[in-house]
Amino acid sequence: MAYDPRMAFDPERKMTDGDVQDLKPDGWWGGEGTLFRDVEFDSYQAGVDFAVQVAALAEAQNHHPDITIHYRRVKLSYFTHDAGGVTMADIEGARAVNGLVEALGQADQNSDDLSGTGENKGATAG
């Protein structure tokens, strides 16, 4: 990310790509200094409800991911703008989101089942 003088830019907090790979939670992938995760749902409304839960969590943490809803798929991306990349705040946010995913009934992050029905409707770990 290019330096923006309006931000309190602090690149010292930015993690190395190796640290991000070592610390990123299951189901997340990194690229170009950003953490990503896609979560797929049975319906559009279930995805919207999840996005609202993520937003409430982000407010409580005072660290906000980008949230994109594509029909039944919600894409989340964490990036600390004032550090120019991924920081521990992003890792902690991703871990908290994984807690929400698990609370929706997916015991195994790699099972791709959020519905609790055994159907393949869950998280896609890029």
Side-chain angles (χ1 to χ4, degrees), residues 3 5 9 27 36 57 59 70 80-81 83 90 93-94 98 109 111 113:
Y3 175 71
F9 198 66
F36 298 98
L57 178 70
E59 281 294 301
H70 297 281
T80 301
H81 296 277
D90 300 305
N98 277 9
Q109 290 292 325
S111 71
D113 180 16

Side-chain angles (χ1 to χ4, degrees), residues 9-103:
F9 198 66
D10 180 11
E12 296 298 316
R13 297 181 324 169
K14 180 180 173 182
M15 298 172 68
T16 67
D17 288 339
D19 287 340
V20 172
Q21 293 304 312
D22 290 343
L23 295 173
K24 67 179 175 53
D26 289 342
W28 292 81
W29 73 97
E32 299 181 18
T34 304
L35 277 179
F36 298 98
R37 178 158 189 184
D38 287 343
V39 185
E40 190 171 312
F41 295 89
D42 289 335
S43 68
Y44 174 77
Q45 186 61 56
V48 169
D49 293 344
F50 174 73
V52 169
Q53 289 179 323
V54 170
L57 178 70
E59 281 294 301
Q61 292 182 319
N62 196 30
H63 194 68
H64 306 85
D66 291 331
I67 303 171
T68 307
I69 301 170
H70 297 281
Y71 184 45
R72 296 182 302 141
R73 185 173 51 95
V74 177
K75 182 175 185 174
L76 304 168
S77 59
Y78 274 100
F79 175 89
T80 301
H81 296 277
D82 62 1
V86 176
T87 65
M88 276 308 296
D90 300 305
I91 298 291
E92 291 166 4
R95 288 176 179 160
V97 166
N98 277 9
L100 289 177
V101 171
E102 289 172 10

